[in-house]
C-alpha cells in the first residue's frame, strides 16, 4: 500500500493543496506538524494527528514536530467564539516539556526533529516582523477566513490584533522551516486549514516556490455527532495522571459499534488485513466486542506501552470478567491501585468495618445488610456477616480485592 493509498484508507485526508495525492509517492518529503502547548497534556484529538504523522514516518518521510512555545502564548482563535485567556511563559514552557515527553512515547523508535517556535520568534523585532512577514499578507483574504469573519461579524465577540496575528506567526513557522530544513509540506487538523494556507502563501510570495498542506478531518463520534474524545468527565488525556491507564483503556473499550472500525484505522497501526479480521470476528459475535477489545489494547499500547496495556486488560478481566488474581505483576497492581481506593487494614479486622473504611458502605448497619444479602466478595468469594480479614487473602501483591455488588471495588492492603 502506497502512502497516498494508506492515508485515504485510514481516513486521514480532509483538504489538500496537492492537485494529485499520488505526488506524495513520487519523492521523499520533509513535513512538519505543530502541536499546541496550551495544556499540560495532549488529548486523543492530538493523538489522531500523531498517528497521521506516523503514517508518513513509516513510509520514510522526514518529520519535524513543532512545539508552539511562542504561538501558545498568543492563543489560536480558530474554533473559538471568544479570546482565550493568556497564560504565562512559565506555564507554556512547562506545557512544552510535557508535550515533548508524550510525543517521545507515542512516536517511539520513529526518528523526528523537535523544534520550538519560541527559538526564532522571540528574537524578532516588531519592525522585522512587519517588514519581512507582514508585507507579504493582504488583509482582504485574511478577514474573509471563516473564524475571523465570524468573530468580526455583527454577532461576533470581536478579535484582538494579538489573535489576528496568530495566522501570520504560523505562516512564519512554515517559512522558517522551509529555509532551515527544506520543509515543503505541513500537516494539520481541519480547523488549521486557513492558518496552514498562510504558510503556503508566504513561501510562494517570499521565496517564489511551492509548498503544500494536508489536513486531517476532525474525528466525530458517529453515535453522538459531537467531537470524539469528550466524555462526561471531560477530555481523554494522554497523561496518566489526568486520565489513568485503566480509564484510558476503558474509554476505547466502550466506544460505539458504528465508529469502532474507523477508530481502529485512525488510532492504531494495524494493517488493513488485521482490521478486516478484527471486524469479521466482531460481526460474527458482536456481544464479544472483539473489535473494541482490539482497539483498546492497541491504542493503550501506543500511548502507555505494552506492559501497561496488558495490565489494563488484566484489571478489566479481574474486575468484570472473573479473571484470576494469581501472580499479579507490579504494573498490574499499579494500574489497579491507580483506579481503586486503597485502604490499609490489619488482619483479623471485621469485613463490616473494612467496608466502611473503604467507603463501600456508609455505616456498619448497611455493611451488615450487604453481607446478609451476599453482595460482598473478597477476591471473588462471598463473605459472611462475621467474616474477618485473613493474611492469606492478600493474593494481589499484599492486597485483597474487596467488592460490593457488581461494580464497586477497593483494594485492601493487609
Amino acid at each position: 500500500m502506497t502512502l497516498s493509498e494508506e492515508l485515504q484508507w485510514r481516513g486521514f485526508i480532509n483538504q489538500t493543496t496537492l492537485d494529485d495525492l499520488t505526488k506524495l509517492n513520487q519523492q521523499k518529503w520533509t513535513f512538519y506538524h505543530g502541536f499546541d502547548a496550551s495544556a499540560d497534556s495532549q488529548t486523543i484529538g492530538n493523538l489522531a494527528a500523531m498517528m497521521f504523522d506516523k503514517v508518513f514516518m513509516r513510509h520514510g518521510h522526514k518529520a519535524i514536530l513543532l512545539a508552539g512555545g511562542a504561538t501558545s502564548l498568543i492563543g489560536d482563535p480558530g474554533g473559538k467564539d471568544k479570546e482565550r485567556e493568556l497564560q504565562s511563559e512559565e506555564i507554556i514552557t512547562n506545557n512544552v516539556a510535557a508535550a515533548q515527553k508524550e510525543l517521545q512515547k507515542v512516536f517511539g523508535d520513529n526518528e523526528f526533529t523537535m523544534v520550538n517556535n519560541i527559538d526564532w520568534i522571540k528574537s524578532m523585532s516588531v519592525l522585522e516582523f512587519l517588514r519581512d512577514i507582514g508585507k507579504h499578507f493582504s488583509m482582504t483574504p485574511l478577514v474573509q477566513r471563516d473564524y475571523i469573519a465570524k468573530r468580526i461579524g455583527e454577532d461576533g465577540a470581536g478579535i484582538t490584533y494579538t489573535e489576528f496575528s496568530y495566522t501570520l506567526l504560523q505562516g512564519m513557522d512554515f517559512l522558517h522551516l522551509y529555509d532551515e530544513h527544506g520543509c515543503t509540506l505541513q500537516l494539520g487538523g481541519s480547523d488549521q486549514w486557513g492558518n496552514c494556507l498562510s504558510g503556503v502563501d508566504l513561501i510562494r510570495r517570499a521565496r517564489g516556490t511551492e509548498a503544500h498542506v494536508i489536513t486531517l478531518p476532525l474525528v466525530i463520534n458517529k453515535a453522538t455527532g459531537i467531537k470524539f474524545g469528550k466524555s462526561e468527565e471531560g477530555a481523554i488525556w494522554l497523561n496518566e495522571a489526568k486520565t489513568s491507564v485503566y480509564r484510558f483503556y476503558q474509554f476505547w473499550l466502550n466506544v460505539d459499534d458504528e465508529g469502532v472500525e474507523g477508530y481502529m484505522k485512525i488510532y492504531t497501526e494495524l494493517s488493513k488485513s488485521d482490521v478486516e479480521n478484527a471486524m469479521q470476528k466482531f460481526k460474527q459475535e458482536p456481544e464479544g466486542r472483539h473489535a473494541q477489545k482490539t482497539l483498546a489494547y492497541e491504542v493503550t499500547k501506543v500511548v502507555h506501552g505494552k506492559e501497561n496495556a496488558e495490565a489494563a486488560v488484566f484489571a478489566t478481566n479481574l474486575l468484570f470478567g472473573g479473571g484470576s488474581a494469581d501472580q499479579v505483576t507490579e504494573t498490574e497492581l499499579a494500574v489497579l491501585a491507580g483506579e481503586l481506593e486503597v485502604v490499609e487494614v490489619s488482619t483479623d479486622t471485621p469485613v463490616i468495618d473494612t467496608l466502611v473504611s473503604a467507603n463501600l458502605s456508609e455505616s456498619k448497619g448497611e455493611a451488615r445488610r450487604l453481607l446478609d444479602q451476599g453482595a460482598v466478595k473478597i477476591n471473588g468469594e462471598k463473605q459472611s456477616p462475621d467474616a474477618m480479614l485473613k493474611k492469606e487473602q492478600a493474593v494481589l501483591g499484599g492486597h485483597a480485592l474487596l467488592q460490593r455488588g457488581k461494580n464497586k471495588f477497593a483494594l485492601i492492603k493487609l
Side-chain angles (χ1 to χ4, degrees), residues 90-248:
E90 181 183 5
I91 289 174
I92 296 299
T93 299
N94 290 334
N95 290 348
V96 167
Q100 288 175 335
K101 289 181 181 178
E102 291 176 350
L103 292 169
Q104 290 283 359
K105 287 178 67 176
V106 171
F107 289 112
D109 295 333
N110 293 284
E111 292 186 6
F112 61 90
T113 299
M114 192 81 202
V115 297
N116 186 340
N117 60 14
I118 194 83
D119 293 335
W120 57 85
I121 293 178
K122 66 181 179 182
S123 59
M124 176 175 273
S125 70
V126 174
L127 286 176
E128 286 175 319
F129 176 69
L130 293 175
R131 286 176 60 87
D132 298 341
I133 304 300
K135 70 175 182 178
H136 294 294
F137 286 88
S138 169
M139 287 293 293
T140 304
L142 289 179
V143 297
Q144 290 174 345
R145 288 189 180 165
D146 289 346
Y147 67 91
I148 294 177
K150 182 179 179 182
R151 291 279 291 276
I152 64 177
E154 184 175 344
D155 297 323
I159 189 168
T160 65
Y161 181 76
T162 299
E163 288 185 293
F164 186 80
S165 67
Y166 183 96
T167 191
L168 276 70
L169 293 176
Q170 187 165 319
M172 188 170 73
D173 287 343
F174 201 170
L175 178 64
H176 176 86
L177 296 176
Y178 170 82
D179 288 342
E180 297 297 319
H181 299 275
C183 177
T184 55
L185 177 65
Q186 181 180 1
L187 307 184
S190 58
D191 59 340
Q192 292 296 307
W193 176 248
N195 289 333
C196 294
L197 290 180
S198 290
V200 171
D201 291 343
L202 181 58
I203 290 172
R204 177 175 53 82
R205 292 173 184 271
R207 300 293 181 263
T209 192
E210 197 174 69
H212 290 284
V213 170
I214 303 175
T215 62
L216 74 158
L218 188 68
V219 184
I220 299 295
N221 186 325
K222 293 182 180 179
T224 63
I226 64 174
K227 186 176 179 180
F228 185 65
K230 294 291 185 182
S231 67
E232 291 180 3
E233 293 78 27
I236 305 300
W237 302 94
L238 306 192
N239 185 338
E240 62 185 274
K242 295 170 76 74
T243 299
S244 71
V245 174
Y246 176 81
R247 286 186 180 272
F248 186 85

Side-chain angles (χ1 to χ4, degrees), residues 8 58 88 98 106 120 133 154 157 260 263 270 284 293 315 318-319 328 339 352 355 367 369 411:
Q8 289 174 305
R58 287 198 300 273
S88 71
V106 171
W120 57 85
I133 304 300
E154 184 175 344
V260 67
Y263 304 147
L270 295 173
Q284 289 172 347
K293 290 177 181 177
L318 181 66
L319 298 181
V328 63
E339 182 59 26
I352 285 179
L355 282 165
R369 286 193 296 274
L411 273 180

